[in-house]
Amino acid sequence: MKYFVFVLSLLIWVSCKESAPKNQNRPVSLEADPGKDPISNPVMGGPTDIKITMTDLTYTGPVQIVGFYLDQNYIQDTTVAQNGIITYKSDKGMPQGLYYFMMKNDQTIQVMVDEDQTFEIKVAMNDIFNSIQVNGSFETELMYKTIQYEQTINPELIQITEKLKGLQESSPEYKTLVSKKLELEAQKMSYFQKLLADHPKSLFANFKVSGQNPCLLYTSPSPRDRTRYRMPSSA
């Protein structure tokens, strides 16, 4: 039951925050009280021992560890970075879920934690998704592999969506682009479904698959249907 409630909270967060991974260096807006507990009885993991080495930064300063619950974010804890290395340890562990490690220079690193919260990350902040190396966290590694896949398909989807805005629905180009968009969306959903089939107990795979928005239909209603939608039927 705890696992279901926890995954449900992540699903709601994903539906509201799905675009966040596209630009991981953008800061999260923080309007939360430090120490807020995301769930009255959270699914804990740990103990926690996380080390993040930024290979292209010598940042020294505070780091906020930002968690998510439903449509809100909260400060789980704080730590410090020394010469580009972030370390965080906690004997009591952290609630399982998604976290941003946020620095004062407005750069962030996402991690996904489950029961085993001892792992290391090496990353170049100027090319996070292509450079990241994860050692010891299956969930975090799976998350970044999925983001890397989405980067191969999302730019074309965005481009098609923008082109459709300037076309007439009756034009051949519109119909061709709609067909291509639906094909790409189907490819993505197939990838996510395979992700869950291969890793049915994965926390990330479960909330990623269940949090996907349904594909939109692009066929317009007939004139008769448009009239039916606007007018109540006769008694």
Side-chain angles (χ1 to χ4, degrees):
M1 182 63 181
K2 287 183 185 178
Y3 180 80
F4 173 77
V5 172
F6 174 61
V7 171
L8 179 61
S9 72
L10 283 175
L11 299 184
I12 298 172
W13 175 84
V14 168
S15 67
C16 299
K17 303 282 187 177
E18 184 65 32
S19 62
K22 294 178 184 176
N23 187 350
Q24 201 165 339
N25 289 336
R26 296 184 62 187
V28 179
S29 175
L30 294 179
E31 296 180 359
D33 296 327
K36 175 185 173 184
D37 197 2
I39 307 175
S40 59
N41 187 21
V43 180
M44 299 295 292
T48 308
D49 187 352
I50 298 172
K51 180 180 179 181
I52 301 172
T53 301
M54 297 173 285
T55 58
D56 58 344
L57 286 184
T58 57
Y59 173 80
T60 295
V63 178
Q64 290 183 331
I65 303 172
V66 182
F68 295 89
Y69 173 58
L70 299 180
D71 61 345
Q72 302 176 18
N73 52 61
Y74 65 97
I75 302 173
Q76 167 67 24
D77 208 344
T78 59
T79 186
V80 295
Q82 295 286 343
N83 295 319
I85 299 176
I86 303 170
T87 56
Y88 177 68
K89 295 184 180 184
S90 172
D91 290 338
K92 67 178 182 180
M94 302 163 67
Q96 297 181 39
L98 178 70
Y99 294 92
Y100 280 18
F101 280 65
M102 286 185 55
M103 291 159 278
K104 252 191 170 180
N105 60 6
D106 289 340
Q107 292 189 303
T108 62
I109 301 172
Q110 298 178 61
V111 301
M112 190 86 181
V113 300
D114 57 355
E115 280 189 59
D116 186 354
Q117 299 180 3
T118 299
F119 59 91
E120 294 187 17
I121 290 174
K122 287 186 178 181
V123 62
M125 296 301 292
N126 66 354
D127 190 14
I128 291 176
F129 303 126
N130 293 318
S131 68
I132 193 156
Q133 301 174 38
V134 182
N135 182 17
S137 173
F138 173 78
E139 296 291 348
T140 298
E141 187 174 9
L142 193 64
M143 177 179 69
Y144 279 103
K145 284 182 178 178
T146 302
I147 293 173
Q148 288 168 351
Y149 164 74
E150 289 183 292
Q151 285 191 312
T152 68
I153 204 167
N154 282 348
E156 188 173 1
L157 279 170
I158 293 170
Q159 187 179 46
I160 291 174
T161 301
E162 289 302 311
K163 284 184 178 180
L164 287 171
K165 292 177 183 178
L167 296 174
Q168 294 290 328
E169 292 184 18
S170 58
S171 69
E173 185 181 1
Y174 184 92
K175 294 175 181 178
T176 299
L177 288 174
V178 164
S179 178
K180 181 62 176 176
K181 183 176 171 66
L182 292 174
E183 179 186 333
L184 291 172
E185 288 173 342
Q187 286 178 24
K188 280 185 68 173
M189 185 54 67
S190 177
Y191 179 94
F192 297 142
Q193 289 172 344
K194 185 176 186 304
L195 185 77
L196 182 59
D198 291 343
H199 311 289
K201 295 184 179 180
S202 163
L203 184 62
F204 172 77
N206 274 276
F207 88 72
K208 183 63 178 177
V209 171
S210 301
Q212 293 304 301
N213 293 324
C215 293
L216 298 176
L217 296 178
Y218 290 88
T219 54
S220 299
S222 66
R224 181 185 175 206
D225 283 337
R226 283 201 277 276
T227 303
R228 287 174 57 201
Y229 296 153
R230 292 176 186 144
M231 302 283 292
S233 59
S234 301

